[in-house]
Amino acid sequence: MIDSDRLSGLIADHWGLVDVRVEVHNGGMNSATWWIDHDGRRDVAKHVPGWNRDQFVGGLTVASHVQRAGIPAGAPILTASGRLAVETADGPVALLQYVPGAGPPDDESGLRVIGETLGRVHVAVRDIRMAGAEQFHWVDPNAAHLDHAPAWVKPGVVKALTMLDALDPKSLTCGMLHTDPVPGAFLVDPATGDVGLIDWSVAMHGPLLYDLASAVMYAGGKVAAQSLLAGYVRTGALGEDEIERGLDVFHRFRWAVQADYFAKRIATRDMTGIEDARGNEMGMLAAREFLVEPLPRRPTFGSRYSCNSPTASNPPPRTPGRP
């Protein structure tokens, strides 16, 4: 385990920074982070377990590409020897550029900011090819943890994968993915108005629709995310026809990813970033309504027609994951 004293030593040895002030931040589920203040500026130190090393270093590389395109991304500050991160017995540590600001407003203007920024990022990364990048996707319908999950999880995941496979992969625009564009990862600098996208945790190449569907999921679904989608479309990152054809499928798949992720955490008793087991259970349960088909309504005598309204009928049941 890396504590503040040990971290200060690593920063001095590998980045040449002394007399730093270290403050615990820890904003993520799969990492530890600290504010590093020195000489009137702030950086961010980030540490991940050793098993996550390759993904971590890959994400640092993508963040560097995004930052070079003019979008603040929390890119790594190279060590004195030119490395992205320092290896320790407990896993790698990196020093990242601090991206100032706060999340976008929780309103339509904030959704537009998210859509526009994600689109700008996708324009910057859609032509990038990285050796060793992971390839979309990673969900295994035969994974053992799905057999131990509630009965609805595995069938829901399998159906989402079947729908995803039905899309023609060659017809989808691909690039490097963020994989988890949660609203809190977008930061608006109040001094300049610049908007950044931080928390690049992996180098993964895949359909840009996955990131867009993730952002739509966090916004509350396609109807709630209309301003986000409008902002995204304006950047030209994806054509409207591709979005129309594939967004619903990827939205459902994104909920399958959620169920699969938390099912694995439950099976392995992974409590990183949460206070108790209920955090994992609630995360998995949130996906249920989007993966389980509703039972058809049973007709009831007199329910379809009434004397006062002979043409009235009951509305069809809501289709999960759709407006």
Side-chain angles (χ1 to χ4, degrees):
M1 184 66 180
I2 294 180
D3 58 23
S4 296
D5 290 338
R6 185 180 175 197
L7 180 63
S8 296
L10 288 170
I11 291 172
D13 292 342
H14 296 279
W15 283 274
L17 301 177
V18 295
D19 296 326
V20 299
R21 179 175 178 270
V22 178
E23 179 183 349
V24 175
H25 174 241
N26 287 347
M29 292 190 69
N30 300 305
S31 63
T33 54
W34 299 261
W35 301 127
I36 307 298
D37 295 312
H38 61 94
D39 302 322
R41 62 173 283 180
R42 167 167 283 186
D43 298 318
V44 179
K46 188 170 185 177
H47 162 65
V48 301
W51 57 263
N52 199 27
R53 182 222 175 256
D54 291 344
Q55 289 190 341
F56 181 57
V57 173
L60 297 177
T61 304
V62 180
S64 297
H65 282 289
V66 174
Q67 188 115 354
R68 282 196 292 271
I71 303 168
I77 300 169
L78 298 181
T79 67
S81 59
R83 290 181 293 171
L84 295 172
V86 172
E87 301 293 340
T88 77
D90 298 302
V93 174
L95 190 64
L96 312 179
Q97 296 181 38
Y98 172 65
V99 178
D106 187 17
D107 56 21
E108 297 301 313
S109 68
L111 290 174
R112 282 193 295 273
V113 165
I114 290 173
E116 291 169 356
T117 305
L118 184 61
R120 290 176 56 225
V121 167
H122 281 173
V123 169
V125 301
R126 64 186 175 190
D127 295 324
I128 293 175
R129 296 291 182 272
M130 286 178 50
E134 296 186 28
Q135 299 298 310
F136 182 88
H137 61 81
W138 59 95
V139 179
D140 179 5
N142 298 311
H145 61 265
L146 293 178
D147 293 327
H148 300 286
W152 60 268
V153 175
K154 185 169 184 175
V157 169
V158 169
K159 180 160 186 177
L161 289 173
T162 301
M163 294 173 66
L164 184 68
D165 289 343
L167 290 175
D168 180 7
K170 294 181 180 179
S171 69
L172 301 175
T173 305
C174 293
M176 302 307 299
L177 302 176
H178 183 277
T179 73
D180 195 30
V182 62
F186 295 85
L187 296 175
V188 183
D189 186 338
T192 65
D194 292 340
V195 186
L197 178 56
I198 63 171
D199 291 341
W200 295 85
S201 60
V202 65
M204 177 167 291
H205 189 264
L208 300 181
L209 269 172
Y210 178 77
D211 273 356
L212 182 59
S214 297
V216 167
M217 180 191 79
Y218 286 123
K222 193 163 68 173
V223 170
Q226 287 302 301
S227 294
L228 185 156
L229 290 168
Y232 183 88
V233 167
R234 278 196 294 271
T235 68
L238 291 175
E240 292 185 60
D241 55 341
E242 184 173 347
I243 295 174
E244 180 64 26
R245 180 168 55 89
L247 183 58
D248 285 343
V249 173
F250 273 88
H251 183 254
R252 187 180 186 121
F253 174 72
R254 181 59 182 82
W255 280 111
V257 168
Q258 171 108 351
D260 176 73
Y261 172 76
F262 282 103
K264 185 174 182 179
R265 283 175 61 94
I266 291 170
T268 58
R269 296 182 172 84
D270 185 351
M271 302 283 287
T272 308
I274 58 175
E275 294 183 358
D276 55 51
R278 288 176 296 179
N280 286 331
E281 294 166 0
M282 294 302 293
M284 182 177 65
L285 188 60
R288 190 179 190 279
E289 71 167 294
F290 301 97
L291 298 179
V292 177
E293 297 293 346
L295 294 173
R297 292 187 177 184
R298 178 177 297 176
T300 303
F301 180 76
S303 66
R304 187 170 180 84
Y305 297 101
S306 69
C307 293
N308 294 328
S309 180
T311 59
S313 63
N314 292 323
R318 176 173 175 268
T319 304
R322 297 175 183 268

